[in-house]
Amino acid sequence: MNKSGKTAKIEFNDTSLELPLLSPAIGPDAADIRRLYADGGIFTYDPGFTSTASCKSTITYIDGLKGELLYRGYPIEQLAEKSHYLEVCYLLLYGELPTAGELEDFEARITRHTMVHEQMNYFFRGFRRDAHPMAIMVGVVGAMSAFYPDSTDVNDPRQREIASIRMIAKMPTIAAMAYKYSLGQPFVYPRNDLDYAANFLRMCFSIPAEDYEVNPILSRAMDRIFTLHADHEQNASTSTVRLSGSSGANPFACIAAGIACLWGPAHGGANQAALEMLKEIGSVDRIPEYIARAKDKSDPFRLMGFGHRVYKNFDPRAKVMKQSADEVLDLLGIENNETLKVAKELERIALEDEYFQEKKLFPNVDFYSGIILEAMGFPTSMFTPIFAVSRTVGWIAQWKEMIGDPEQKIGRPRQLYVGAPKRDYVNVEDR
Ligand code: ACO
C-alpha cells in the first residue's frame, strides 16, 4: 500500500486536517486516519466496519460490485476448476503456486500430521453425546494448545509454521471425530494413501464393520467445497482471529475464537439455515409466501443464503456451487431433487423481484452448498464444521500475515459512550 500523494480533507469545529490517501494494488483508496485522534481529538464511528480497513493484506481480493474473488491474484473460478485444495492452501500460506517438488513436500507434511494426540480421544468423551459438532470443535481446537504446547510461541517462526501445518492437517480429523462422537460410532483414523478430501469423507462415513471406498466424484466435490471456502479476506471470523492474535494469544486459541464466530447464522451457520429454510418451503408453490415474508419489515425472517456484506452482485462461489450441485446430484443419480428445484426457482423469483434488485441481494456461497453436502450424506449439523475445516487455512494465513506486519498493534477499538454521565453512588436505603 502506497501513499497516493492525494489527501482527503476533513473540517470540524475550527480544525482542518489533511488525511493521506493510501492506494491499494486494486480497489478504492483508504483515508489514513491513524493520527485523527492525536491531531484532531475526534474518533470515527463505524459499527460493523462498513467503511474501515482494519489491516493491509496481500492474500485475498474481492470486488463486490463485479462479483470477483481472487486468491493471491488468481480468480476463484480458475482455482476451483484447475487446482485442488492443498495446492490452494500452499498458495494462500506462501503467496505463490508451488512447484511440483514444493507441492509434494507440502502434501507429505500435511499428511504426516493428520493424526491427533491419542489422549484427545478421551477429551471428546467429556462432551454430551448430543453436543453440536461446532460446540465440540470450539472446545477441542482451543484445547490443542494444551496438547501441542511446543508450537504455541508466536514469536518463533518455526513454531508458527508447525502450528499452521498441524491445524490444517488435523482439522478434518477433529471435525470427523466430532461427527462420529455424535453418532456413537468409533473414531476412524486417517489414512496416508488418501488425499485430503477423500480422507475426510472416509473418516466421516467409514465404519469398522465393512469396507468403505471413497467415490472419486464425491471427493472431488468435497475438495471444491474446501477450495471455495478457503479464504474470504476480512470477514467476521477472520477479523476475530486477527483480533485475538493481536494480543499475542497462541494460534490454537485464535482459531478456536474464529470457529466460535463462524458458528453464527449470519456467517458460517447460514449454510445449515439455508438448507433448513429450503426444506421448510418444501415446494415451489410456497415460494411467494416466503418472498413476501423476507420483504416484510415486521417479520424477522430473511432469505438465508441471500445477501452479502461485500458482494452486491453474484457471489462467484455461488455460481461454481450451483454447477457442482447439478453435477453431484446427477452423478449420484438423484433426479428431481425437490430442494434443488425450490432453490433454483427461489433464486429466479428473487432475482426478478424489485426488493432484491434494489438492495442488490444475490445468492451467496451458502445457498447451494447445503444441497451438495446433504446429497453426500452429511447432516445439517456438519455443514458449519465443514466450513471451519475449509477456512482454517485462510485464518492461519491471515494470522501469520498479521504477526509479521510491523504496523499491526493490539486491536483496541474506541467507542461512542452514550451511557449515564458521572454521578454519585446512592446508598441502598436511599434509592
Ligand atoms: N433477506 C431479506 N432481506 C435482506 C437479506 C435477506 N437475506 N439480507 C439483507 N436484507 C436487507 C436488510 O433487511 C436491509 O434492508 P433495509 O436496508 O431496508 O434495512 C438491507 O437488505 C441490507 O442488509 P444488512 O443486514 O444491513 O446488510 P449487511 O451487509 O449488514 O448483512 C448479511 C449481510 C448478514 C449476509 C445479510 O445479507 C443476511 O443476513 N443474509 C442472510 C444470512 C446469510 O446468508 N449469511 C451468509 C453470508 S456469506 C458467509 O458468511 C459465507
Side-chain angles (χ1 to χ4, degrees):
M1 186 154 57
N2 298 314
K3 286 197 175 161
S4 65
K6 293 182 276 179
T7 54
K9 198 166 178 184
I10 167 168
E11 290 183 354
F12 52 96
N13 305 332
D14 294 331
T15 309
S16 171
L17 288 176
E18 301 261 339
L19 303 172
L21 281 184
L22 304 175
S23 291
I26 350 176
D29 287 349
D32 182 347
I33 58 166
R34 278 175 292 182
R35 290 207 50 83
L36 188 61
Y37 179 56
D39 294 347
I42 60 166
F43 296 141
T44 55
Y45 178 61
D46 186 16
F49 303 109
T50 53
S51 297
T52 300
S54 62
C55 63
K56 292 192 260 178
S57 184
T58 59
I59 301 172
T60 292
Y61 175 74
I62 303 172
D63 186 326
L65 293 178
K66 279 200 219 156
E68 188 172 71
L69 168 62
L70 313 176
Y71 291 168
R72 302 282 189 185
Y74 296 101
I76 190 67
E77 296 87 345
Q78 289 182 25
L79 294 170
E81 190 196 331
K82 297 179 183 172
S83 183
H84 60 93
Y85 183 66
L86 281 189
E87 184 176 69
V88 167
C89 287
Y90 186 99
L91 174 68
L92 289 170
L93 283 174
Y94 306 112
E96 295 297 337
L97 286 169
T99 62
E102 286 166 342
L103 182 59
E104 197 184 327
D105 174 61
F106 181 68
E107 288 182 337
R109 276 196 294 152
I110 295 288
T111 306
R112 281 203 304 270
H113 282 88
T114 47
M115 280 171 63
V116 296
H117 194 293
E118 193 60 15
Q119 241 182 309
M120 279 182 111
N121 294 356
Y122 305 109
F123 187 67
F124 272 80
R125 291 185 193 157
F127 289 97
R128 262 175 68 139
R129 183 61 77 190
D130 59 356
H132 193 290
M134 281 300 274
I136 298 182
M137 286 192 73
V138 174
V140 172
V141 174
M144 282 176 83
S145 41
F147 288 98
Y148 304 101
D150 59 340
S151 53
T152 51
D153 180 356
V154 299
N155 299 314
D156 178 346
R158 204 173 153 272
Q159 292 200 27
R160 294 204 294 265
E161 177 67 14
I162 296 170
S164 309
I165 297 291
R166 279 182 169 153
M167 269 185 285
I168 296 167
K170 295 182 200 306
M171 206 59 87
T173 315
I174 292 171
M177 288 170 85
Y179 178 47
K180 285 297 193 192
Y181 185 76
S182 71
L183 294 177
Q185 291 182 4
F187 298 139
V188 176
Y189 286 94
R191 260 188 27 197
N192 287 357
D193 60 332
L194 294 176
D195 68 32
Y196 194 83
N199 208 6
F200 177 61
L201 289 173
R202 189 180 161 277
M203 287 190 289
C204 288
F205 296 124
S206 160
I207 49 167
E210 62 187 43
D211 281 344
Y212 176 84
E213 221 173 288
V214 183
N215 180 334
I217 294 151
L218 294 192
S219 65
R220 175 71 189 129
M222 188 77 252
D223 189 89
R224 197 174 276 177
I225 288 179
F226 287 154
T227 298
L228 292 176
H229 289 87
D231 192 48
H232 214 231
E233 51 117 312
Q234 309 313 317
N235 57 82
S237 56
T238 301
S239 299
T240 301
V241 170
R242 279 187 177 256
L243 191 56
S244 311
S246 75
S247 71
N250 78 67
F252 304 110
C254 296
I255 302 301
I259 295 173
C261 177
L262 187 75
W263 197 357
H267 190 9
N271 50 16
Q272 173 169 350
L275 188 74
E276 283 165 358
M277 176 197 74
L278 292 172
K279 284 183 177 294
E280 189 187 307
I281 298 175
S283 62
V284 167
D285 55 303
R286 296 189 64 203
I287 292 174
E289 181 196 326
Y290 282 82
I291 295 268
R293 281 187 63 196
K295 288 155 59 171
D296 180 357
K297 285 284 151 223
S298 61
D299 187 332
F301 174 78
R302 281 185 170 202
L303 277 194
M304 298 314 284
F306 250 80
H308 197 275
R309 169 61 61 78
V310 182
Y311 292 117
K312 301 303 167 198
N313 198 329
F314 248 95
D315 178 339
R317 302 167 301 171
K319 283 189 195 164
V320 182
M321 235 18 133
K322 185 179 182 180
Q323 190 194 341
S324 219
D326 276 330
E327 280 169 20
V328 169
L329 266 55
D330 198 31
L331 290 161
L332 287 176
I334 304 174
E335 285 165 16
N336 292 324
N337 179 284
E338 201 56 39
T339 318
L340 185 59
K341 260 198 241 163
V342 171
K344 286 187 175 173
E345 188 59 8
L346 180 61
E347 175 190 308
R348 193 188 64 76
I349 296 177
L351 292 181
E352 283 177 1
D353 191 289
E354 210 178 301
Y355 172 94
F356 291 88
Q357 285 177 351
E358 190 196 307
K359 294 188 188 306
K360 296 191 168 53
L361 299 170
F362 292 84
N364 61 48
V365 68
D366 294 321
F367 195 63
Y368 288 102
S369 61
I371 295 173
I372 306 176
L373 292 172
E374 189 188 46
M376 287 175 165
F378 286 108
T380 49
S381 61
M382 276 304 286
F383 293 3
T384 318
I386 289 169
F387 192 160
V389 171
S390 329
R391 184 54 59 82
T392 296
V393 66
W395 290 329
I396 292 170
Q398 301 268 353
W399 171 80
K400 280 174 101 177
E401 184 176 63
M402 182 208 61
I403 299 279
D405 180 352
E407 286 188 357
Q408 274 302 315
K409 294 167 177 283
I410 184 167
R412 203 316 183 178
R414 307 305 290 245
Q415 63 168 9
L416 201 57
Y417 177 71
V418 292
K422 186 177 176 187
R423 48 187 169 163
D424 288 324
Y425 179 80
V426 180
N427 289 329
V428 69
E429 58 276 18
D430 299 328
R431 281 175 226 157

